[in-house]
Amino acid sequence: MQKTMSSSRFVLFLLLSLAPFSFSHQKDQIQETFHECLSNIQTPNTFFTPNDTNFTQILKSRAINLKFRTPSTPKPDAIFTPLNETHIQTAVICAKKLGIHLRTRSGGHDYEGLSYTAVMGRPFVVIDLSKMQDVNVDLADNSVWAETGATIGQVYYRVAEKSKTVGIPGSICTSLGMGGLVAGGGYGSLLRKYGLLADNVVDARIVNSNGDILDRKSMGEDVFWAIRGGGGGSFGIIISWKLKLVPVPATVTVFDVPKTLEQGATKILYKWQQVASNFDEDLFVRVLISRTSNKTLSTTYQALFLGGTDRLVQIMNTGFPELGLKKEDCFEMSWIESVMHIMEYPKIVPPSVLLERKPSFLNYFKAKSDFVREVIPESGLEGMWKIMLEDESPLMIWNPYGGIMSKIPESSIPFPHRNGVLFKVQYVSAWMDPAMEDKHVSEIRKVYDYMTTYVTKSPREAYVNYRDLDIGMNGKSDDSWGFKYFKDNFHTLRKIKTKFDYSNFFSHEQSIPLID
Ligand SMILES: Cc1cc2nc3c(=O)[nH]c(=O)nc-3n(C[C@H](O)[C@H](O)[C@H](O)COP(=O)(O)OP(=O)(O)OC[C@H]3O[C@@H](n4cnc5c(N)ncnc54)[C@H](O)[C@@H]3O)c2cc1C
Ligand SMILES: *[C@@H]1O[C@H](CO)[C@@H](O)[C@H](O)[C@H]1NC(C)=O
Ligand SMILES: *[C@@H]1O[C@H](CO)[C@@H](O)[C@H](O)[C@H]1NC(C)=O
Ligand SMILES: *[C@@H]1O[C@H](CO)[C@@H](O)[C@H](O)[C@H]1NC(C)=O
Ligand SMILES: *[C@@H]1O[C@H](CO)[C@@H](O)[C@H](O)[C@H]1NC(C)=O
């Protein structure tokens, strides 16, 4: 499969490089005609071409995967940074008129860099939304309107600033853009209690391929369904989301308890699989698996509990005594402090640091995902340790499901991984020396291959926000990425896409394909 993938990429590359004439012609069009078309906006410092001194800095500012910052990575021919909704409309109208391919970027965390690089659809222009960051919390309405250029960390901060007893189900990582995060689902430690961010969207504003602005009412319920979890970059440019706020207690409790293989990690993880999705909805216990030395692996149990220490210790010692949780392992704090804690900010750093939008993770990396519906036996875990111990920088993150995730129907929004899922697996391999890419990518694929026996099959489910081009481009077959990400919702997504964006104006390597 890997072989087919790289050879088809190569063919694509050949096809593209055989057309130098039309390329440079289109390049001129972008840098001159597109700019001219935009000029009625009359706003300086919003349009950048590679000749501008700030171009590279702006391009890199939110290109989170260093793998896509290399000289050989296809670069946009221009970056446009709209300051308001009208600017987005103008950009879409101009691009459509001139036949220019667009990519939309909010936080720039796309695992395959699809918001700022492109294999297909070159040359292209990036619409970078990072200057549109307004966040308006309305406690009386129990909601927040957030522009998609804002990070989830900014939204967390603005919500917590207003009240200690409301929160928002978001993500663990705080530098993600609201554009991509919500469009693909978006989970964090409140997942088992309140579901995904996308489950909590109540309205949205979007620019369609005609340059019109639509809200929930004018886009219609089918499009409103599709944009909440169908993945970014397929339907239009989301300007802003309106999200529900959720109650959180003034005091929540966290713990991080590590167990190495020598401390019985295998048996404990075997038990975790059986209990983590059945815990009280107030409790979220995830597991980080990494190597601590050459000889052993460590499993760290990281938890958020929506309550105090006493009840937490009681729940854990009844349902999961194998972990041996003690009172001293637990720390009580406010919800916003728990957001900072899980991101490993030192205690002295104030939450206002979230307003700085700093990316929390800058590496060369490759990641993949799986969903598990049946407990993996101890022998399966032992085989997994063996492979991970051979790897240079193995990391797996297991996130528990259950709770409200089991109660929301699979077709409620496009995100289908619900009832029956015990946990989601994320595989990550990160490195700092670009020459090591092949080694790391082959290591992560090896673990993923090993796990085939233990994870979901037909389709082998995957999380669209953990974008993975290994599982195909432009796929329509029954085992394509479309079914892995969306299961049967993929059919519905394609119908809505065909109706709403019939010219396939918004497209990328894994955007929702039109119906043939
Ligand atoms: C370090 C790290 C930690 C992460 N942690 C979590 C986590 O805790 N929980 C979780 O759920 N996910 C997590 N993710 C995955 C994350 O949800 C996705 O990468 C998400 O797509 C990021 O959104 P973005 O706006 O930052 O990315 P971008 O790269 O800007 O966008 C991602 C995709 O959405 C499209 N898009 C962006 N903005 C818009 C818009 N306004 N309108 C339409 N389309 C748009 C882009 O074109 C692209 O296709 C993590 C990723 C990283 C790199
Ligand atoms: C956006 O800014 C332009 C100036 O570049 C202005 O003419 C327009 O009215 C603004 N639109 C909105 C919605 O604020
Ligand atoms: C361009 O870069 C300079 C120097 O880094 C900076 O002062 C300026 O604000 C930048 N302009 C824009 C539009 O980002
Ligand atoms: C960009 O710079 C190159 C030389 O560095 C020049 O040939 C080209 O005309 C410039 N393009 C624009 C649009 O200014
Ligand atoms: C760990 O193993 C690597 C090779 O995999 C080796 O280069 C390194 O020296 C070892 N480190 C220790 C502390 O044993």
Side-chain angles (χ1 to χ4, degrees):
M1 180 169 107
Q2 293 153 22
K3 225 172 159 192
T4 342
M5 150 77 198
S6 52
S7 60
S8 65
R9 258 196 163 171
F10 184 64
V11 170
L12 199 58
F13 172 71
L14 274 183
L15 282 175
L16 292 171
S17 54
L18 283 174
F21 174 75
S22 65
F23 246 48
S24 54
H25 171 71
Q26 286 183 48
K27 231 171 178 158
D28 288 351
Q29 231 179 21
I30 289 180
Q31 294 180 348
E32 287 157 32
T33 333
F34 187 55
H35 193 200
E36 203 180 295
C37 181
L38 287 178
S39 66
N40 59 5
I41 285 174
Q42 299 288 6
T43 311
N45 289 331
T46 52
F47 186 80
F48 305 88
T49 67
N51 278 13
D52 292 314
T53 44
N54 288 19
F55 177 84
T56 304
Q57 177 237 322
I58 290 171
L59 180 62
K60 285 185 174 172
S61 65
R62 296 209 83 82
I64 304 299
N65 193 341
L66 301 185
K67 202 159 160 277
F68 303 108
R69 284 191 186 186
T70 61
S72 62
T73 306
K75 307 280 185 305
D77 289 289
I79 302 173
F80 178 60
T81 58
L83 305 178
N84 68 27
E85 299 184 343
T86 316
H87 294 174
I88 303 179
Q89 291 179 284
T90 309
V92 167
I93 291 165
C94 289
K96 191 166 189 188
K97 191 168 89 187
L98 299 166
I100 289 166
H101 183 69
L102 294 184
R103 293 289 162 122
T104 307
R105 182 168 75 174
S106 296
H109 287 70
D110 192 287
Y111 283 9
E112 300 282 8
L114 300 189
S115 55
Y116 54 92
T117 184
V119 180
M120 57 164 267
R122 294 165 63 199
F124 65 102
V125 168
V126 168
I127 307 296
D128 178 308
L129 296 166
S130 58
K131 289 178 183 162
M132 294 184 62
Q133 314 172 5
D134 275 0
V135 177
N136 282 302
V137 179
D138 183 346
L139 279 189
D141 187 51
N142 205 37
S143 68
V144 53
W145 269 107
E147 285 186 328
T148 50
T151 61
I152 182 70
Q154 288 175 287
V155 179
Y156 283 152
Y157 181 81
R158 292 299 173 205
V159 169
E161 185 186 46
K162 287 272 169 75
S163 162
K164 268 188 147 50
T165 54
V166 292
I168 185 158
S171 54
I172 308 274
C173 173
T174 50
S175 56
L176 307 175
M178 290 301 283
L181 176 64
V182 183
Y187 78 89
S189 343
L190 296 176
L191 175 78
R192 302 188 65 250
K193 177 82 172 183
Y194 296 116
L196 304 163
L197 256 178
D199 291 323
N200 289 279
V201 175
V202 289
D203 205 341
R205 290 172 70 74
I206 182 173
V207 175
N208 70 7
S209 60
N210 293 328
D212 305 320
I213 294 178
L214 307 172
D215 64 4
R216 176 174 185 166
K217 198 155 168 241
S218 50
M219 79 180 85
E221 285 302 304
D222 54 349
V223 176
F224 184 63
W225 176 86
I227 60 173
R228 288 173 295 155
S234 284
F235 295 96
I237 299 181
I238 314 283
I239 305 164
S240 50
W241 303 106
K242 184 182 184 186
L243 295 141
K244 255 189 311 198
L245 302 177
V246 299
V248 292
T251 302
V252 304
T253 307
V254 301
F255 67 75
D256 299 87
V257 175
K259 294 285 175 193
T260 60
L261 294 184
E262 292 71 33
Q263 292 170 319
T266 311
K267 284 203 154 44
I268 299 171
L269 189 58
Y270 179 63
K271 179 67 184 284
W272 174 88
Q273 298 180 70
Q274 299 162 57
V275 294
S277 63
N278 291 316
F279 280 141
D280 189 300
E281 290 185 356
D282 288 340
L283 178 57
F284 174 89
V285 185
R286 70 175 194 158
V287 193
L288 299 152
I289 308 171
S290 62
R291 194 164 62 193
T292 42
S293 76
N294 270 5
K295 292 207 183 65
T296 195
L297 292 164
S298 184
T299 54
T300 300
Y301 292 81
Q302 195 174 57
L304 171 70
F305 179 62
L306 299 173
T309 302
D310 291 341
R311 205 176 127 229
L312 172 58
V313 172
Q314 196 188 354
I315 292 178
M316 287 292 292
N317 289 344
T318 312
F320 192 19
E322 292 79 359
L323 191 66
L325 184 73
K326 296 190 214 58
K327 258 188 137 153
E328 306 87 83
D329 299 322
C330 302
F331 299 95
E332 294 186 343
M333 53 186 63
S334 67
W335 169 74
I336 189 75
E337 285 167 340
S338 80
V339 165
M340 302 289 290
H341 172 86
I342 202 163
M343 279 307 286
E344 296 177 16
Y345 279 108
K347 241 192 134 151
I348 48 159
V349 176
S352 57
V353 76
L354 298 175
L355 300 178
E356 291 172 19
R357 303 159 51 86
K358 283 214 185 79
S360 42
F361 180 87
L362 271 179
N363 286 289
Y364 295 79
F365 71 93
K366 171 72 192 160
K368 305 176 75 67
S369 61
D370 262 319
F371 287 85
V372 175
R373 291 173 183 269
E374 280 167 44
V375 172
I376 303 173
E378 289 185 38
S379 60
L381 298 177
E382 274 152 12
M384 190 180 90
W385 306 141
K386 225 173 120 195
I387 297 183
M388 289 180 81
L389 277 167
E390 286 167 6
D391 293 351
E392 188 120 336
S393 57
L395 172 62
M396 270 204 226
I397 303 171
W398 291 15
N399 279 295
Y401 272 56
I404 197 177
M405 290 300 280
S406 302
K407 295 174 196 143
I408 299 174
E410 275 191 15
S411 60
S412 164
I413 61 169
F415 182 100
H417 322 287
R418 306 276 187 176
N419 192 23
V421 171
L422 301 179
F423 57 97
K424 183 186 73 196
V425 176
Q426 176 172 207
Y427 312 83
V428 184
S429 188
W431 61 97
M432 280 314 282
D433 174 2
M436 299 303 280
E437 174 166 339
D438 288 351
K439 179 172 163 39
H440 284 269
V441 171
S442 74
E443 281 176 1
I444 189 173
R445 286 177 180 158
K446 202 167 145 198
V447 185
Y448 183 78
D449 282 349
Y450 170 79
M451 293 294 279
T452 309
T453 320
Y454 304 108
V455 299
T456 51
K457 299 168 187 68
S458 31
R460 183 170 183 172
E461 297 170 45
Y463 177 31
V464 65
N465 262 352
Y466 293 164
R467 184 99 62 200
D468 183 1
L469 293 184
D470 285 359
I471 61 176
M473 294 202 262
N474 290 318
K476 294 174 191 173
S477 66
D478 282 355
D479 63 349
S480 79
W481 56 265
F483 291 97
K484 289 175 164 50
Y485 291 151
F486 308 113
K487 297 180 77 176
D488 283 343
N489 292 333
F490 188 45
H491 295 296
T492 317
L493 282 169
R494 291 187 65 190
K495 274 187 214 145
I496 297 166
K497 164 77 181 180
T498 307
K499 220 168 109 191
F500 189 65
D501 182 28
Y502 53 88
S503 68
N504 203 20
F505 179 73
F506 294 103
S507 64
H508 56 68
E509 291 73 11
Q510 279 187 347
S511 56
I512 305 297
L514 299 174
I515 293 173
D516 309 294

